[in-house]
Amino acid sequence: MSTEIAPFSAIKSTVDAALVAAKALVITDAETAEAASLRRKDLKEIGKRVESIRKELVKPFDDGKAGIQKLAKSLSDPLEMADKDLTQKLLVYQNKLRMEQEAKAAAERAEAERKAAELAASDEASLDEVEAAQETVQYLAQPVKLSKSEKLVSTRMVRKYRVTDKMKLPPELLIPDTAEIYKRVQAGARAIPGCEIYEEEVPTGR
């Protein structure tokens, strides 16, 4: 970028002269010390003038940048809100799928447990049949996992809390100190008197 900008070019000779004068100063006594102090003031004043010129030159660019950012924000904010809205709707649907599958799995597990109990009590069932029935029960007891095609929104479980009884909170949390409570919950606290600690599934970005 060219340094030949008129306002800076006009003050450059002043800057150069001040630098030469400052470099030439040798402090040997009170008089030269006073001269150096005055020179420092001159350098600062010239510096202020340079900064004033800089601000005046960049102001139109800053104003233009601010206008562009405001316009971009007026477009990007609604897009972001729409994305959040769709993400929440997908999460609701995804949770509905999970609950349906969990209900189905619970029914299948209950039926498998009934059959396993019958086989265990039967004198006619073989050991292999009993063990196979128990393995089926154990398999069906596993947590339900959505398939990749059903996992429409990437999520993670976040530990949260809500105060259920302020009077049961430890004295140091009676304010209540929400930051401290949050810190303890995130550190793995399983119980805090007066609080309910729970997990909430939140989107992670996909």
Side-chain angles (χ1 to χ4, degrees):
M1 180 178 177
S2 174
T3 57
E4 294 302 316
I5 298 176
F8 283 143
S9 297
I11 199 174
K12 188 175 186 307
S13 59
T14 302
V15 171
D16 291 342
L19 293 175
V20 170
K23 187 174 182 180
L25 271 174
V26 177
I27 302 173
T28 57
D29 52 29
E31 184 177 349
T32 51
E34 177 65 20
S37 296
L38 292 174
R39 181 54 60 188
R40 285 187 65 212
K41 292 180 181 179
D42 288 342
L43 292 173
K44 289 181 180 179
E45 286 302 318
I46 296 170
K48 289 179 182 179
R49 288 166 58 190
V50 170
E51 178 62 10
S52 177
I53 292 171
R54 182 195 69 79
K55 288 181 178 179
E56 186 176 347
L57 288 172
V58 301
K59 188 178 186 304
F61 297 101
D62 289 342
D63 291 344
K65 178 181 177 182
I68 291 171
Q69 289 177 330
K70 184 177 180 180
L71 179 58
K73 188 173 178 61
S74 71
L75 299 173
S76 62
D77 281 359
L79 290 171
E80 184 177 342
M81 291 301 296
D83 179 62
K84 286 182 178 179
D85 182 58
L86 284 177
T87 298
Q88 187 58 39
K89 290 176 180 177
L90 284 169
L91 189 57
V92 169
Y93 174 72
Q94 185 171 289
N95 287 336
K96 179 175 176 289
L97 287 180
R98 179 183 289 108
M99 287 189 291
E100 290 174 350
Q101 292 184 22
E102 286 175 346
K104 181 181 178 182
E108 291 176 347
R109 184 167 62 252
E111 177 62 16
E113 288 173 347
R114 185 189 66 77
K115 289 182 179 179
E118 285 182 356
L119 287 171
S122 173
D123 294 332
E124 298 178 0
S126 68
L127 180 60
D128 287 343
E129 289 176 323
V130 172
E131 290 180 345
Q134 291 174 342
E135 288 176 0
T136 298
V137 170
Q138 291 176 355
Y139 173 77
L140 293 174
Q142 297 179 58
V144 170
K145 290 185 178 181
L146 296 176
S147 67
K148 188 174 182 180
S149 62
E150 294 170 326
K151 189 81 171 173
L152 305 171
V153 180
S154 296
T155 61
R156 62 188 176 90
M157 299 306 293
V158 177
R159 290 175 57 78
K160 295 189 173 183
Y161 75 91
R162 61 175 65 91
V163 176
T164 55
D165 189 341
K166 188 187 295 184
M167 299 309 296
K168 290 182 179 180
L169 286 171
E172 66 272 20
L173 301 179
L174 275 177
I175 303 176
D177 188 340
T178 55
E180 178 61 23
I181 296 175
Y182 178 80
K183 181 179 177 182
R184 294 188 184 189
V185 170
Q186 294 306 305
R190 294 297 174 186
I192 295 177
C195 283
E196 174 191 359
I197 297 175
Y198 62 97
E199 288 189 330
E200 182 175 298
E201 190 172 28
V202 298
T204 56
R206 195 179 83 183

